[in-house]
Amino acid sequence: MLTVITALAPLALAIQLPIQSGSVDFYDPNLNGGSMLNNAGGGLGEPLNVIISGKSSPEVLTNDGIVNYARAIGLSYIISSEECLGIHLGDPQSANLGDGHGWVNQTIELREDYGNEELGTCLESIIGGNHFRVYRQDGPSAMSGALFLAVSREQDVEENHTIVPDGYNIGRDQLVGHAIGKHDFDGVHYKTVAKNITGLLPPGSVGVNHGIATDGLTTLLTVQTTR
């Protein structure tokens, strides 16, 4: 039965059908030619500092599912990847999760919505705030279904959306702080537990975008849903 589920999982993800919860939290990208830094350009990357476990409820691991979950914890989907009230939101970034797909652009990007799903992400673009990019580990070499998030806190538009000092650690901790515990949105109830992991990301600033050092921690979130 597990072999059948594994074979059907890529199709299920492609058409946004929930797949059965995985048997693993995630696979370490570093062990199969991947990286825990994405590609932000110029040979530098942003840390994939939060992982939503493949053992989470299957519906959370779909595109619609992560958007609904994000809204439950205070972030919303950017409808246009290019403009928001005439403000450029930045280019997509790619990541290699060691799953056999190589370098793949982000699946989706979400920004702090300040309590307004429609205009809040535009406000974040103006005044700054938390945001994250989503990458799914679903290739033939590492079919976990886990979502790897590059989380950071940005400065305002006058600072060209650069990351605030210590912004990778701050962004991660803010997102995790909002996520843990119980939340709900659009009739879906979430319960999230968190665990910090060392050894996936080296501490420091080597290879990190903007030269901003990180503490080397990655937080694993396991999200379960009820209706």
Side-chain angles (χ1 to χ4, degrees), residues 167-187:
Y168 298 118
N169 293 336
I170 290 172
R172 177 201 62 211
D173 291 347
Q174 179 181 326
L175 184 144
V176 171
H178 287 169
I180 55 176
K182 296 181 179 180
H183 302 277
D184 61 85
F185 187 86
D186 196 26

Side-chain angles (χ1 to χ4, degrees), residues 55-178:
K55 294 182 180 180
S56 299
S57 293
E59 65 184 288
V60 176
L61 303 177
T62 66
N63 287 356
D64 289 343
I66 186 59
V67 169
N68 201 76
Y69 178 63
R71 286 173 173 165
I73 62 174
L75 298 98
S76 290
Y77 175 49
I78 301 171
I79 296 174
S80 168
S81 61
E82 297 181 354
E83 300 292 330
C84 184
L85 299 180
I87 301 169
H88 185 62
L89 298 178
D91 298 322
Q93 297 178 4
S94 61
N96 183 346
L97 300 182
D99 62 358
H101 283 326
W103 291 91
V104 178
N105 275 350
Q106 65 204 44
T107 300
I108 211 163
E109 184 174 355
L110 297 113
R111 294 178 183 267
E112 191 170 356
D113 65 17
Y114 294 99
N116 187 312
E117 299 165 40
E118 296 182 0
L119 296 178
T121 56
C122 294
L123 181 61
E124 191 276 345
S125 296
I126 297 171
I127 69 174
N130 224 27
H131 86 303
F132 66 84
R133 305 172 191 270
V134 180
Y135 306 89
R136 180 178 289 110
Q137 190 177 57
D138 64 352
S141 302
M143 173 61 74
S144 71
L147 303 180
F148 286 65
L149 313 183
V151 189
S152 59
R153 187 163 186 85
E154 296 180 312
Q155 300 192 62
D156 61 30
V157 66
E158 292 185 358
E159 299 295 333
N160 296 314
H161 299 136
T162 56
I163 309 302
V164 303
D166 199 31
Y168 298 118
N169 293 336
I170 290 172
R172 177 201 62 211
D173 291 347
Q174 179 181 326
L175 184 144
V176 171
H178 287 169

